[in-house]
Amino acid sequence: MNQNNIALIAGATGLSGSYTAQRLKAEGWTVVTVSRSAVDLPWSDRHIAVDLEDADASLSALKAAADVTHVFYCTWSRQANEQDNVRVNALMIRNLFEGLATAPIRHAALVTGLKHYLGSFEDYANVKPYTPFLENSPRLPGLNFYYAQEDVLFEMAARRGFNWSVHRPHTMIGFVVGNAMNMAVTLAVYASICKHKGLPFVFPGAPEQYNAVTDVTDARLLAEQLLWAATTPEAANMPLNTVNGDLFRWTWLWAQIAEYFGLEVAQYPGHPVPLEEQMAAAPATWAEIVAQHGLQDIGVNKLASWWHSDADLGRTLECFTDMTNSRTRGFSAYQQSSQSFFDVFDELRARRIIPS
């Protein structure tokens, strides 16, 4: 048991936060969860409902977390433009640490992602970075809320004397209903609709993604790396890329997904056919599928994030990462990427969220 390890998970209902909380709980940690709403989380020992954009509310609510020893910051708030992204997301992480001013923090981890190398939403993929992405690469010019979050983390660590780690996953593969960036669930819904309607199962992204080498990040592996970094002195104070450890091309994985769902791979048209356009009528179609198969009544737009999967699959440059910082310090976790998707699909079927 790790009775002296008390973890605070900010963003505990999201993909990275929920998997991390469950992993730490399994390891015997006390888990304090934070989210905007009051929710009953089975992996939480103590839940704090607070909007981190509200400084006064954060100071008050986080008094209930004055004993935490480790912080895992796994949340962000999307705004209308990058200037507001920077302002709001820097404010949120600052409010969290200000609310934990007396807590005996030993380590704080921040989860960001590959926009560190690719640029913000407004300037996304307008660079041609070296691949694999290197953890010691300099920041790109311009605004980026990941950089703003990092700067607050570095400032607080220097002021308070705790260690830090920054984790940069690629596309996250896991399952949380309502997550805004969930490719595995999105593709499962897309495949189910194609099967129901007899539509061609066509890869929706750019030819550069269809043919290029890429990788993804299983949420379970990210949770494992977060635990490892928090408990490994050699991992202190460094950025850590976080991917499964294998490489693939979508030409191959698309066929694997098609086979799972009993679909034929449609001929790739050589250009993007965005899901957001293909799935314009998805709400009505999904309601038919739910009724026909007796599924959980969850709206398609709460399951699928068409826009985000379109962004990931529509990149016009190669994206994969190097994990030197953690590999050379003993982190050896590995996950086969095709199985990451299949495990999510299996869970969705078992929970009666998609048809069997």
Side-chain angles (χ1 to χ4, degrees):
M1 295 287 287
N2 288 283
Q3 296 176 349
N4 294 324
N5 290 330
I6 304 174
L8 181 144
I9 315 288
T13 60
L15 199 55
S16 57
S18 63
Y19 277 78
T20 300
Q22 292 173 74
R23 180 67 186 88
L24 296 176
K25 184 71 173 175
E27 197 67 19
W29 290 44
T30 298
V31 175
V32 181
T33 53
V34 175
S35 69
R36 281 189 174 88
S37 56
V39 291
D40 183 14
L41 302 173
W43 52 82
S44 177
D45 295 295
R46 188 190 322 160
H47 186 72
I48 299 171
V50 63
D51 183 353
L52 291 175
E53 293 182 39
D54 187 328
D56 291 338
S58 298
L59 281 173
S60 176
L62 290 168
K63 290 176 182 177
D67 56 345
V68 301
T69 59
H70 295 73
V71 172
F72 299 86
Y73 195 86
C74 306
T75 190
W76 68 289
S77 178
R78 189 177 185 185
Q79 305 299 309
N81 54 64
E82 195 61 19
Q83 183 174 358
D84 285 344
N85 275 337
V86 167
R87 176 182 58 81
V88 169
N89 286 285
L91 176 68
M92 288 172 63
I93 190 170
R94 183 175 296 279
N95 286 343
L96 179 83
F97 282 113
E98 295 292 359
L100 300 174
T102 62
I105 300 171
R106 302 199 295 268
H107 180 90
L110 168 65
V111 177
T112 61
L114 295 195
K115 284 189 288 295
H116 185 93
Y117 307 108
L118 291 167
S120 68
F121 284 113
E122 293 180 359
D123 198 34
Y124 189 71
N126 287 329
V127 294
K128 297 294 182 183
Y130 174 83
T131 50
F133 300 140
L134 301 176
E135 293 151 320
N136 61 357
S137 297
R139 290 179 174 181
L140 300 173
L143 294 174
N144 190 315
F145 79 87
Y146 285 170
Y147 304 160
Q149 289 179 314
E150 283 187 347
D151 287 343
V152 175
L153 174 67
F154 301 156
E155 174 194 338
M156 293 296 177
R159 183 195 304 177
R160 302 276 299 278
F162 56 75
N163 292 329
W164 58 266
S165 59
V166 174
H167 302 255
R168 298 171 184 161
H170 198 163
T171 299
M172 292 280 291
I173 307 302
F175 170 64
V176 175
V177 172
N179 180 260
M181 299 186 291
N182 203 328
M183 181 185 285
V185 179
T186 298
L187 294 184
V189 170
Y190 174 51
S192 299
I193 289 174
C194 287
K195 190 168 186 177
H196 176 76
K197 300 286 285 186
L199 299 173
F201 188 57
V202 59
F203 180 76
E208 292 86 350
Q209 283 303 300
Y210 194 48
N211 296 302
V213 169
T214 192
D215 52 24
V216 294
T217 305
D218 193 300
R220 296 168 296 189
L221 187 137
L222 172 60
E224 198 67 38
Q225 192 194 56
L226 283 159
L227 170 60
W228 171 82
T231 55
T232 302
E234 295 80 8
N237 305 328
M238 63 179 57
L240 302 166
N241 285 339
T242 317
V243 287
N244 285 350
D246 63 354
L247 297 170
F248 64 89
R249 300 179 194 273
W250 275 107
T251 50
W252 173 82
L253 185 57
W254 200 250
Q256 303 296 306
I257 294 173
E259 182 178 0
Y260 180 97
F261 286 99
L263 294 166
E264 295 291 328
V265 176
Q267 182 175 353
Y268 180 59
H271 58 80
V273 281
L275 292 170
E276 202 158 26
E277 296 175 10
Q278 287 192 63
M279 295 289 106
T285 303
W286 193 250
E288 293 175 6
I289 294 172
V290 168
Q292 180 177 327
H293 295 275
L295 306 180
Q296 289 192 48
D297 190 10
I298 303 173
V300 71
N301 291 330
K302 193 172 183 180
L303 292 172
S305 50
W306 311 121
W307 68 272
H308 192 268
S309 293
D310 282 340
D312 274 355
L313 298 177
R315 295 170 182 154
T316 57
L317 73 168
E318 183 178 69
C319 297
F320 64 99
T321 70
D322 176 84
M323 288 181 64
T324 291
N325 280 355
S326 55
R327 294 299 190 211
T328 57
R329 290 165 177 83
F331 182 70
S332 59
Y334 170 89
Q335 170 66 46
Q336 185 181 21
S337 291
S338 56
Q339 196 62 49
S340 293
F341 282 88
F342 299 158
D343 287 349
V344 173
F345 301 159
D346 287 348
E347 183 174 359
L348 292 172
R349 284 180 164 176
R351 290 174 178 245
R352 301 204 58 75
I353 292 173
I354 64 171
S356 298

